Amino acid sequence: MSAKTGLSHKRARGWARIEALTCTVITGAVSRLFASAPVGSQPTNIFAPVSTPADELYHLSLFDLSVCAGIFIVVFILLVYAVMKFRRRADDDGREPPQIYGSDQLELAWTVLPILIVVVLFLTSARVIHTVEDAREPANALRITVVGHRFWWEYRYVQYGFVTADELHVPVSTPRHPWPTFLTLLSADTDHGWWVPRLAGKTDVIPNRVNHTWIDPHRVGLYLGQCSQFCGTAHAMMLIRVYVQTRAQFEAWLKNQQTAAANDPGPAVTAGRRAFESTACINCHTVRGTVADGRFGPDLTHLMSRQTLGSGVIPNTPENLRRWIQGPPAIKPGVEMPPMNLSSRQLNELVAYLETLH
Amino acid sequence: MAPDSMPIARALSLPRSERKPWLEVLHEWVITVDHKKIGVMYVLYGLLFMVAGGIEATLMRIQLAVPEARFVSPQVFNRLFTMHGTTMIFFVAMPILFGFANYLVPLMIGARDMAFPRLNAFSFWMTAFGGLLLYFSYVGGAGVYGAGSAPSFGWWAYAPLTSPAFARGHSTDFWTLALLVSGVGTVGFGVNTVATILCMRCPGMKLTKMPLLVWLNLVMGGMLFFTISPLTAAQLMLMIDRYLGGHFFDTQAGGKATLWMHFFWIFGHPEVYVLIIPAFAFLSEIVPVFSRKAIFGYPIMVAATVGIGFISFGVWAHHLYTIDMPSYGQAFFVGMSLAIAVPTGIKIFNWLATMWGGKIWLATPMLFCVGFLFQFLIAGLTGVILANAPFDWQLGNSYFVVAHFHYVIVGGILFALFGAFYYWFPKVTGRMMDETLGKWHFWLFVIGFHLTFDPMHIAGILGMPRRIWTYQPGHGWAIWNMISTFGVFVQATAILIFVFNLIHSYLQGAQAGDDPWDAWTLEWSTSSPPPPYNFAVIPEVKSRRPLWDLKHPEDPDWQYE
Amino acid sequence: MSTVPAAIPSSWATRLPRRGHIGMLSLVAAESAIFSIFIVAYIYYIGKSLSGPTPRQILVVPVFGTVCLLSSSLTIHLAVTGLRKGRARVFKAFWAITAALGAIFLTGTALDWRRMIYKLGFTIRTNLFGTTYYSLVGLHAFHVTVGFIMLAIVLIFALAGKVRQEHAEKCEALSIYWHFVDAVWVVVFTVVYIVGR
């Protein structure tokens, strides 16, 4: 903000006042429109940041918006004034107005002033770029590899040796106990984009390229986002859910995820497991600790620990799970998982088995 | 009046027995090499495709009006936005702007035709066939059954979505060929424009005496070589990949998806300026005439245009802030992208200064110019905001960006174009466009425009990405989308009024005379419509406003320039 | 057209550039942008192929073809100068030599490609090097071919005695294109056979 004050000194006092006024108005308007609304109704509002990268952008955007609003008001007033004041009157004498071909002083003024504004904007922007993009990864950072697939997300917790899908769990990172999360972004097929507006700006996920981003959420909660780079038919339904948990909750979650799948010996479950392992399911899905080790689809080892199915498209209830297995394209058109065409009994057994994967 | 410049209106006024057979009229237009006829064909062709692109936009807006709508399938939706973008840029905006340039440039420099009339006809037909090829993909893309499959990867066609693995069938190939073929036409037009302006000027018209419209089209024509050619090259590479098994964009064989992104935007960003500079050109002619003042700061207007032309080739990667470029790279492109705001700002201030102290006549052409100034101001400022990489990490690929570039293209370019339609229609047809209908058109379009595109800024800030077929409720996006959809229908009504006005005025408009606006450039010195060879005697000019000199012999311009 | 007299004073007309030149220079500008993109792609992919062969294993430097092509720039210049002075025989001779030199270059390229494709099995699909090499060198060869066809057409007219002094400007426009094709070869040669090898 110091740079902006520097600019104000270069202008006349009245300008500074207008600028300050606009700044207040804009900030007020922004907070009225966005920030003060209940966050629950606007879960992807970029003006409600809870993580350092998003926060940096938020403050920069307020500054940029104020400067631009200031320029807008000045030019808009000039335009309206010109149109009102210099309109041809009804009693016009028909004579041409004095012809003016230019003015070096004026033209110089409106060349130099914008240059100054541009320099200030550039410097503030460059500072934020440096802060966010060149952030050092601390030794204790949680490292996760994100792999974009058509049309779901794979999350590899490399330090803990397990893989999960669609729902990302990360610890809260407070100033006293910083525990940021650093994400490495890879793609298995085509371009995707990882964007959770309240946590960080988007980063593209590009095949044959390794990208990076990071978040350090300050507050516990569920943060939503979605794929931001067009990737094909079901692009609109490639949603992102980030669960920010307390340290204890997160560690408990980690512990559960690290275990292999439970083996429930009940008869219905055994039949379901047999159905799962003897059909096409295992070509694409992994259930750790069983013969299922497919890699094309999401890891199902702890399916029941997730709240949604189909990359965030529907809540994970037994009824929805049935519908999903029976015909995924009906719920998520363009999804790569084909309808399984199972008999009603097979379906019941399969769901019973999947229900045990906590 | 020229014998065959208004074939339809003239033909309708004749008794049936004296009318030319329609086949003969059609034949005349198909074989013509006259720059005016070709210009009119460009414009009509662009308007035709504008209807197609507009229908596509309307269908998309209906689908997005409410959350979880099932009006069209995602496959269809993805084709719609791909075709809408491609159509509007390549087969609406460019042809219409080229048409105006084709018509006006020779008239304004006192020439009888373009430098290469046959190349001119060739360029037009290439562009025309390009558009037909693109739309043929609807029937030819899927193969035999005519089920139809237009391309569905967005108009940037990011690799590897265009690879044979993800884009089966032929729709991608139709898209590629369409842009290649029309690209040939575009470069041909550029060659012709540059050669015409440099080599065909009438006596006395030095470079410093050319009307600004001519100067700006010279810059635009020169930019075309370095704008369209990279796209042509990239399309050739894509064809090599798809047909010959090459690996340029094959990420499985070590190819880089980012290379396509760079190549595409090396074309894509200067392209925006290729479109906006002719719009600037219209303003630079209309604003002075309707303010009754000479353009303010002619030399700096030219310098700013040339500056924009050059800088525009160094800003492309601001479309790629989110591909995780090194921070110094991002800073460089932030600097360049912000820098382009300076010459653009100069232009806005100079137009304002032209109006200042004048006697502004708010006829329909001028209304559209004032609308342009207002909307382009906002578009420029959201552009400044988006030029800052960090802002773009959030808002790139969101509806904020959609709002921004529609502000540029619709709020800016299209408004200037409508102004140009009302301004030059009398010259082209010899009849005035209806003022009352014009005012209705203007105000409805302003309202429709703002209803459609203003809410998109907010949807973007609330995190709505572009190119999504539908969305879940609970994000706060629904109300803004509903308003946008409503706005589209207001805009459509305005466009219908405009089309009605065009036809109505063409058939029954008031006689215009040679110089209805009391203007100052050479096209108004010949008849309306101009005879086939424009000028019976090649004029000789002494200043930038030759007709001012004629009308004010006591105080001619050349004393001051 | 002839009903309306052209009233442009010749003093003004001579001050304007000739449209043939401007047109051809504009085309050259557009073509150079196309080549730039292919050259950037070539340079960017040097050494990035996931599998062999490498340029060092495959490429043979086409010294003879290069010498021929570059010297054809000189001969076309001499031909045009000759025509401007009205010396039709000089024009015909040098024009024919130019076309012949272009043909030699193309033949050299064709033989080289035959060796690589049929003997070594190295094609445009082999790897990134194959893709970029055949595209860039092929794009240039395509331009030489177009130039050769135009040269040949003019040559046929010349042999029929139809090319006279007043056609010097048109032949000069064609020579601009030919010089451009040569200049591009210098860049392509440097990139493919020196930098990339």
Side-chain angles (χ1 to χ4, degrees):
Chain A
M1 283 291 166
S2 58
K4 177 179 156 285
T5 329
L7 179 71
S8 302
H9 282 306
K10 291 199 176 69
R11 295 178 172 186
R13 224 203 193 127
W15 284 107
R17 195 176 287 168
I18 291 173
E19 179 86 28
L21 191 69
T22 357
C23 201
T24 325
V25 169
I26 278 288
T27 320
V30 163
S31 55
R32 177 77 48 90
L33 242 178
F34 303 109
S36 67
V39 166
S41 68
Q42 297 175 345
T44 49
N45 183 350
I46 72 160
F47 286 138
V50 290
S51 160
T52 306
D55 213 34
E56 290 278 340
L57 314 186
Y58 171 64
H59 288 296
L60 178 74
S61 64
L62 284 189
F63 172 63
D64 287 351
L65 279 172
S66 322
V67 173
C68 288
I71 298 170
F72 171 76
I73 288 171
V74 171
V75 181
F76 178 69
I77 290 172
L78 288 176
L79 177 64
V80 170
Y81 182 80
V83 173
M84 293 295 174
K85 175 87 202 280
F86 301 112
R87 256 185 100 155
R88 192 170 65 176
R89 309 282 153 196
D91 57 351
D92 187 66
D93 56 4
R95 264 191 287 177
E96 303 282 20
Q99 300 294 306
I100 296 153
Y101 299 90
S103 152
D104 291 347
Q105 290 91 332
L106 272 176
E107 286 162 33
L108 193 67
W110 59 59
T111 309
V112 172
L113 243 166
I115 290 178
L116 294 176
I117 297 174
V118 158
V119 168
V120 172
L121 288 177
F122 170 73
L123 292 175
T124 48
S125 199
R127 191 189 61 80
V128 175
I129 294 173
H130 177 68
T131 316
V132 176
E133 290 283 285
D134 301 338
R136 276 178 178 254
E137 184 178 328
N140 76 330
L142 174 65
R143 287 202 299 277
I144 298 170
T145 300
V146 181
V147 185
H149 295 260
R150 303 217 310 174
F151 299 93
W152 59 282
W153 299 96
E154 177 183 342
Y155 296 112
R156 297 181 188 156
Y157 286 71
V158 280
Q159 293 147 306
Y160 301 94
F162 68 88
V163 175
T164 179
D166 292 341
E167 296 183 357
L168 181 66
H169 288 249
V170 297
V172 71
S173 178
T174 55
R176 285 180 62 191
H177 299 287
W179 195 359
T181 303
F182 277 70
L183 304 164
T184 302
L185 306 163
L186 308 172
S187 168
D189 34 51
T190 181
D191 303 322
H192 303 280
W194 200 83
W195 186 29
V196 183
R198 298 188 62 198
L199 299 183
K202 58 181 72 66
T203 307
D204 286 0
V205 178
I206 300 167
N208 196 15
R209 185 180 169 95
V210 183
N211 280 351
H212 301 275
T213 188
W214 63 283
I215 52 175
D216 61 342
H218 307 317
R219 240 184 292 154
V220 171
L222 166 63
Y223 301 101
L224 301 180
Q226 69 187 87
C227 178
S228 60
Q229 189 66 274
F230 182 69
C231 56
T233 310
H235 163 65
M237 294 189 158
M238 187 169 167
L239 308 180
I240 302 171
R241 299 169 74 85
V242 179
Y243 293 84
V244 177
Q245 297 174 305
T246 64
R247 198 166 265 258
Q249 285 171 331
F250 178 66
E251 273 160 358
W253 180 83
L254 272 183
K255 208 166 171 199
N256 179 46
Q257 295 289 316
Q258 278 170 294
T259 58
N263 191 4
D264 189 322
V269 172
T270 315
R273 179 170 168 181
R274 201 178 309 121
F276 185 81
E277 291 173 358
S278 60
T279 58
C281 304
I282 58 169
N283 292 345
C284 297
H285 294 287
T286 294
V287 178
R288 253 176 296 131
T290 74
V291 296
D293 61 351
R295 299 289 298 276
F296 293 112
D299 185 301
L300 300 181
T301 311
H302 297 282
L303 178 63
M304 285 307 127
S305 71
R306 295 183 212 145
Q307 294 185 349
T308 58
L309 295 170
S311 199
V313 176
I314 43 168
N316 185 1
T317 62
E319 185 43 38
N320 278 342
L321 188 56
R322 255 184 88 96
R323 278 174 56 217
W324 177 262
I325 296 169
Q326 197 63 337
I331 297 163
K332 182 172 172 173
V335 68
E336 305 271 286
M337 178 170 162
M340 296 314 291
N341 297 321
L342 298 173
S343 70
S344 175
R345 207 191 56 161
Q346 272 180 314
L347 195 59
N348 288 339
E349 290 167 356
L350 196 58
V351 171
Y353 167 58
L354 293 175
E355 291 284 313
T356 65
L357 299 175
H358 285 287
Chain B
M1 192 181 293
D4 54 354
S5 296
M6 282 184 68
I8 300 169
R10 207 177 59 86
L12 290 180
S13 64
L14 289 175
R16 186 170 284 273
S17 58
E18 286 176 36
R19 287 181 200 168
K20 266 191 196 173
W22 64 271
L23 204 60
E24 202 173 300
V25 176
L26 188 69
H27 181 250
E28 256 173 34
W29 281 79
V30 170
I31 62 159
T32 187
V33 293
D34 175 38
H35 74 99
K36 295 183 291 300
K37 280 189 174 175
I38 292 174
V40 170
M41 283 198 290
Y42 262 119
V43 172
L44 292 178
Y45 168 85
L47 286 177
L48 184 72
F49 275 85
M50 191 189 222
V51 173
I55 290 171
E56 284 153 0
T58 311
L59 293 176
M60 282 193 285
R61 279 313 328 165
I62 294 173
Q63 162 67 19
L64 288 172
V66 291
E68 300 189 320
R70 292 289 186 276
F71 177 69
V72 294
S73 71
Q75 288 87 350
V76 169
F77 185 86
N78 296 345
R79 284 172 205 147
L80 285 176
F81 69 68
T82 306
M83 293 295 272
H84 170 74
T86 311
T87 307
M88 288 301 195
I89 296 290
F90 292 97
F91 302 109
V92 177
M94 286 214 284
I96 296 184
L97 293 169
F98 290 178
F100 273 92
N102 229 309
Y103 199 99
L104 295 173
V105 164
L107 282 169
M108 282 187 153
I109 61 173
R112 289 191 172 143
D113 208 321
M114 299 283 273
F116 308 107
R118 269 174 293 190
L119 174 65
N120 200 15
F122 173 76
S123 305
F124 166 73
W125 289 106
M126 288 305 263
T127 307
F129 286 126
L132 296 182
L133 262 178
L134 180 70
Y135 274 81
F136 187 68
S137 70
Y138 266 119
V139 284
V144 271
Y145 296 111
S149 101
S152 61
F153 36 61
W155 82 283
W156 321 328
Y158 271 7
L161 272 182
T162 49
S163 71
F166 295 110
R168 297 188 196 94
H170 299 299
S171 54
T172 309
D173 306 311
F174 282 114
W175 180 84
T176 304
L177 282 171
L179 298 199
L180 263 179
V181 168
S182 71
V184 170
T186 306
V187 170
F189 168 80
V191 168
N192 218 340
T193 307
V194 170
T196 304
I197 296 174
L198 291 182
C199 312
M200 309 293 281
R201 281 166 284 142
C202 68
M205 189 171 283
K206 302 179 205 148
L207 286 178
T208 51
K209 304 283 180 219
M210 295 195 307
L212 270 180
L213 182 137
V214 177
W215 248 115
L216 267 60
N217 275 294
L218 176 63
V219 174
M220 184 268 271
M223 285 179 69
L224 283 178
F225 310 141
F226 306 101
T227 305
I228 300 297
S229 297
L231 180 70
T232 304
Q235 300 285 11
L236 287 174
M237 291 177 184
L238 184 58
M239 281 177 80
I240 289 170
D241 274 11
R242 285 181 64 88
Y243 278 107
L244 304 177
H247 308 294
F248 279 111
F249 311 116
D250 176 4
T251 50
Q252 302 287 314
K256 291 287 187 186
T258 44
L259 195 69
W260 172 272
M261 298 181 185
H262 281 289
F263 288 169
F264 186 85
W265 288 114
I266 286 172
F267 147 76
H269 203 82
E271 170 70 11
V272 177
Y273 292 92
V274 163
L275 300 179
I276 196 78
I277 284 177
F280 290 166
F282 298 146
L283 242 71
S284 304
E285 295 304 326
I286 298 172
V287 168
V289 169
F290 287 83
S291 308
R292 310 307 307 160
K293 276 181 67 205
I295 188 82
F296 190 91
Y298 175 96
I300 200 175
M301 287 295 256
V302 172
T305 312
V306 175
I308 289 173
F310 274 106
I311 303 174
S312 72
F313 286 98
V315 301
W316 79 86
H318 69 214
H319 295 267
L320 307 176
Y321 284 144
T322 57
I323 65 165
D324 209 5
M325 265 190 288
S327 52
Y328 52 85
Q330 300 201 23
F332 172 79
F333 284 105
V334 170
M336 291 298 279
S337 308
L338 287 172
I340 213 161
V342 175
T344 315
I346 291 172
K347 283 185 159 296
I348 290 187
F349 284 119
N350 274 21
W351 288 317
L352 273 177
T354 306
M355 291 160 68
W356 206 268
K359 289 182 175 175
I360 300 170
W361 175 18
L362 284 178
T364 313
M366 188 62 182
L367 272 180
F368 275 104
C369 288
V370 174
F372 171 98
L373 284 173
F374 173 64
Q375 275 126 213
F376 189 70
L377 172 64
I378 298 174
L381 290 171
T382 52
V384 166
I385 289 170
L386 284 170
N388 291 286
F391 216 105
D392 197 75
W393 299 332
Q394 285 286 24
L395 292 177
N397 264 5
S398 77
Y399 260 82
F400 192 88
V401 167
V402 177
H404 161 71
F405 69 73
H406 281 96
Y407 249 79
V408 175
I409 292 177
V410 180
I413 296 165
L414 191 57
F415 268 72
L417 257 176
F418 282 140
F421 266 103
Y422 284 88
Y423 182 62
W424 279 292
F425 188 86
K427 180 49 62 183
V428 177
T429 64
R431 291 171 188 270
M432 302 298 288
M433 281 184 84
D434 190 281
E435 269 293 303
T436 317
L437 285 175
K439 296 249 159 64
W440 272 98
H441 169 207
F442 172 75
W443 286 109
L444 271 181
F445 200 69
V446 166
I447 294 167
F449 168 80
H450 285 278
L451 280 177
T452 309
F453 296 110
D454 294 2
M456 287 188 186
H457 291 101
I458 299 172
I461 285 169
L462 293 178
M464 180 169 171
R466 70 195 281 199
R467 294 180 174 171
I468 53 170
W469 157 65
T470 189
Y471 49 93
Q472 296 186 328
H475 287 78
W477 303 342
I479 177 72
W480 307 113
N481 278 290
M482 183 52 103
I483 298 172
S484 277
T485 303
F486 175 68
V488 163
F489 289 98
V490 182
Q491 281 192 70
T493 314
I495 298 277
L496 283 180
I497 293 177
F498 168 66
V499 171
F500 174 75
N501 196 355
L502 278 183
I503 298 169
H504 169 78
S505 306
Y506 178 71
L507 297 173
Q508 297 176 12
Q511 292 293 335
D514 292 353
D515 185 14
W517 309 115
D518 193 7
W520 302 313
T521 37
L522 280 179
E523 76 270 31
W524 305 106
S525 70
T526 182
S527 62
S528 304
Y533 283 91
N534 297 351
F535 302 100
V537 177
I538 294 290
E540 193 164 351
V541 301
K542 281 173 129 178
S543 79
R544 291 164 200 150
R545 297 194 295 171
L547 269 61
W548 170 278
D549 297 348
L550 222 61
K551 292 169 186 170
H552 301 270
E554 76 289 352
D555 188 27
D557 257 6
W558 48 265
Q559 288 183 343
Y560 306 98
E561 283 172 5
Chain C
M1 190 186 306
S2 53
T3 54
V4 185
I8 303 178
S10 59
S11 63
W12 171 255
T14 51
R15 284 177 56 186
L16 295 173
R18 280 166 295 177
R19 60 181 182 163
H21 277 197
I22 296 295
M24 187 53 83
L25 287 174
S26 303
L27 184 70
V28 161
E31 292 282 357
S32 62
I34 294 185
F35 274 105
S36 308
I37 294 294
F38 274 87
I39 289 166
V40 165
Y42 191 92
I43 295 175
Y44 183 71
Y45 282 141
I46 288 176
K48 293 221 170 67
S49 293
L50 297 184
S51 58
T54 63
R56 196 166 278 279
Q57 294 166 328
I58 294 273
L59 295 182
V60 176
V61 183
V63 179
F64 182 62
T66 305
V67 170
C68 286
L69 190 65
L70 295 187
S71 44
S72 72
S73 248
L74 179 67
T75 56
I76 198 170
H77 175 73
L78 291 173
V80 172
T81 319
L83 185 63
R84 215 180 288 134
K85 289 178 185 156
R87 294 155 70 181
R89 287 182 58 191
V90 174
F91 168 74
K92 268 186 258 181
F94 278 114
W95 199 266
I97 296 174
T98 309
L101 290 171
I104 293 174
F105 174 85
L106 283 175
T107 315
T109 307
L111 291 175
D112 200 28
W113 281 26
R114 201 177 90 142
R115 174 184 64 89
M116 288 192 281
I117 294 169
Y118 290 104
K119 285 228 179 99
L120 305 175
F122 172 70
T123 69
I124 200 166
R125 335 173 67 118
T126 306
N127 56 12
L128 270 177
F129 164 54
T131 303
T132 51
Y133 168 80
Y134 282 110
S135 308
L136 179 56
V137 174
L139 184 72
H140 178 262
F142 172 73
H143 280 81
V144 179
T145 311
V146 170
F148 174 76
I149 292 170
M150 292 195 290
L151 287 175
I153 292 171
V154 174
L155 187 61
I156 292 168
F157 279 112
L159 292 177
K162 302 279 186 196
V163 180
R164 290 181 299 272
Q165 195 168 2
E166 65 259 35
H167 299 117
E169 196 184 319
K170 288 178 178 167
C171 292
E172 202 176 333
L174 183 49
S175 80
I176 294 177
Y177 176 82
W178 192 256
H179 288 310
F180 165 71
V181 170
D182 278 8
V184 168
W185 180 249
V186 174
V187 180
V188 171
F189 185 85
T190 313
V191 167
V192 173
Y193 294 98
I194 299 173
V195 178
R197 204 158 159 269

